């Protein structure tokens, strides 16, 4: 194995992190864990888990708002990712940013994403989740896994009921992916070391510049500046 050198930028003269290879290794590993748990597909809402499986970045505020899911189908490559056709750039921006998702980007007409945290009238919510459940089942049929369990990490009761109504067996979606991510690849260990080094840079700057009488905002500013200068 070629040793990976420490560095935050991509260069052509030294072997550093191969992001394309890491994306593929993560997805291949996830497929193996779906098989280990006897699961045919996974509905994933968690922000970090979606990042792990798709490498698509969205604003960190989305960590606290499980507003959309991806559909990960066993032995079918990268997950299905929905895009908002009304948003500026729509699918084209996502295609440019994430070419590895070619053939896996679907509109809300193909995979409806009802909002699980917004108020909806009961009947409207049930109708939308019923549509989503049917769309999910159609996709699973195409891949021949509709007879296998589908896992969910977060769940709206209407989604659970709708999936069971169309004949899909729903199981827990936390155990398999948590176990999948426990053992890190060499690239992930290197990234964790980078993150730790950046954090140390922040504390180092604070150690040098801290003075009696500083406000909390002053302290935060010192650390934020050091973090960004170090490559956050």
């Amino acid at each position: 194995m070629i040793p990976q050198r420490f560095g935050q930028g991509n260069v052509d003269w030294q072997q550093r992190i191969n992001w394309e290879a890491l994306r593929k290794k993560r997805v291949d590993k996830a497929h193996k864990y779906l098989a280990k748990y006897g699961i045919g597909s996974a509905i994933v809402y968690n922000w970090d888990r979606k990042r792990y499986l798709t490498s698509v970045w969205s604003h960190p505020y989305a960590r606290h708002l499980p507003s959309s899911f991806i559909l990960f189908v066993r032995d079918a490559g990268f997950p299905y990712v929905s895009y908002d056709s009304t948003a500026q750039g729509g699918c084209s921006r996502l295609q440019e940013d994430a070419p590895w998702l070619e053939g896996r980007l679907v509109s809300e007409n193909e995979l409806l994403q009802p909002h699980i945290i917004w108020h909806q009238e009961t009947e409207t919510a049930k109708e939308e989740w019923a549509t989503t459940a049917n769309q999910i089942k159609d996709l699973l049929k195409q891949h021949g896994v509709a007879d296998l369990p589908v896992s969910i990490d977060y769940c709206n009761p209407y989604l659970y009921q709708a999936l069971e109504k169309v004949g899909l067996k729903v199981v827990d979606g936390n155990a398999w992916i948590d176990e999948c991510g426990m053992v890190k690849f060499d690239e992930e260990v290197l990234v964790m070391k980078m993150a730790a080094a950046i954090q140390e840079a922040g504390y180092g700057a604070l150690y040098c510049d801290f003075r009696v009488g500083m406000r909390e905002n002053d302290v935060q500013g010192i650390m934020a500046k050091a973090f960004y200068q170090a490559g956050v």
Side-chain angles (χ1 to χ4, degrees):
M1 178 179 177
I2 300 175
Q4 293 174 350
R5 301 304 183 190
F6 185 90
Q8 293 174 311
N10 287 330
V11 296
D12 63 354
W13 50 270
Q14 194 176 65
Q15 180 66 37
R16 297 184 182 178
I17 292 176
N18 184 330
W19 297 107
E20 183 176 358
L22 178 58
R23 283 192 291 266
K24 188 176 185 305
K25 286 198 293 187
R26 283 175 165 176
V27 168
D28 289 345
K29 184 179 180 183
H31 285 304
K32 292 178 182 177
Y33 274 90
L34 280 182
K36 176 182 177 180
Y37 278 75
I39 297 171
S41 59
I43 295 171
V44 182
Y45 273 101
N46 179 271
W47 190 92
D48 294 295
R49 292 167 178 165
K50 289 193 293 185
R51 282 277 292 132
Y52 186 90
L53 294 171
T54 69
S55 294
V56 172
W57 187 91
S58 60
H59 200 285
Y61 287 152
R63 286 176 183 268
H64 311 293
L65 301 173
S67 58
S68 64
F69 64 86
I70 60 171
L71 180 62
F72 187 53
V73 182
R74 192 166 102 190
D75 298 330
F78 285 95
Y80 285 97
V81 178
S82 292
Y83 64 89
D84 184 355
S85 60
T86 64
Q88 185 176 7
C91 181
S92 61
R93 178 58 185 269
L94 193 51
Q95 287 175 324
E96 293 171 0
D97 288 347
W100 56 88
L101 292 178
E102 183 178 359
R104 287 294 178 266
L105 299 177
V106 291
S107 70
E108 64 271 18
N109 294 323
E110 300 168 280
L111 191 59
L112 184 63
Q113 296 272 356
H115 294 282
I116 66 175
I117 58 171
W118 292 357
H119 170 72
Q120 283 183 310
E121 296 296 333
T122 300
E123 291 307 313
T124 300
K126 287 183 176 180
E127 289 175 6
E128 290 191 356
W129 286 115
T131 298
T132 301
N134 281 298
Q135 291 171 331
I136 290 172
K137 185 171 184 178
D138 287 343
L139 286 170
L140 299 186
K141 281 183 176 179
Q142 293 177 26
H143 293 283
V145 296
D147 294 332
L148 295 174
V150 53
S151 74
I152 308 180
D153 57 353
Y154 299 162
C155 188
N156 180 291
Y158 295 136
L159 173 58
Y160 181 88
Q161 294 164 6
L163 290 172
E164 289 205 319
K165 192 172 182 179
V166 298
L168 296 174
K169 181 181 179 181
V170 180
V171 297
D172 172 64
N174 294 285
W176 76 266
I177 196 167
D178 285 343
E179 185 179 351
C180 176
M182 281 183 183
V183 179
K184 305 302 182 186
F185 293 113
D186 291 340
E187 295 92 338
E188 292 171 329
V189 173
L190 188 57
V191 169
M192 292 168 71
K193 288 181 178 179
M194 287 183 184
I198 290 172
Q199 179 177 323
E200 288 298 311
Y203 281 110
L206 182 59
Y207 180 82
C208 293
D209 296 342
F210 189 81
R211 299 291 183 274
V212 174
M214 278 186 168
R215 303 168 302 163
E216 181 180 351
N217 290 347
D218 298 324
V219 174
Q220 185 179 15
I222 292 170
M223 296 192 73
K225 179 183 178 183
F227 287 156
Y228 282 105
Q229 286 180 327
V232 166

